[in-house]
Amino acid sequence: MTKPLTPPSWRKPAGMLTILGIILLWAILIVSASEYIGQMHILAQGVIYLVAGIIWIAPLRPLLIWIETGSFKAPPLP
């Protein structure tokens, strides 16, 4: 059996918990606004929920970079 090249980093479980926290907070925010969104026209509701379903992904890129590299900046391209 071979030994891993580097020891496992604490950033991976911390990052996973952070991602779950972001999803939970975003879901609570959207659900709390659902009373107001539900009074809108069905097409407006669709657009709002579509945008809300995509927006939560935005903070994940720097977080995933941090999980892998330890820095929030993307490494330079070769």
Side-chain angles (χ1 to χ4, degrees), residues 8-19:
S9 171
W10 62 270
R11 291 189 311 263
K12 290 190 186 216
M16 290 187 303
L17 290 175
T18 304
I19 290 170

Side-chain angles (χ1 to χ4, degrees), residues 43-54:
L43 292 176
Q45 289 180 37
V47 170
I48 290 170
Y49 285 124
L50 178 67
V51 170
I54 294 172

Side-chain angles (χ1 to χ4, degrees), residues 8-30:
S9 171
W10 62 270
R11 291 189 311 263
K12 290 190 186 216
M16 290 187 303
L17 290 175
T18 304
I19 290 170
L20 291 174
I22 289 170
I23 293 170
L24 179 65
L25 289 174
W26 190 248
I28 290 170
L29 178 72
I30 298 303

Side-chain angles (χ1 to χ4, degrees), residues 61 65 69 71-78:
R61 177 175 163 78
I65 291 170
T69 66
S71 171
F72 284 102
K73 296 179 189 175
L77 296 174

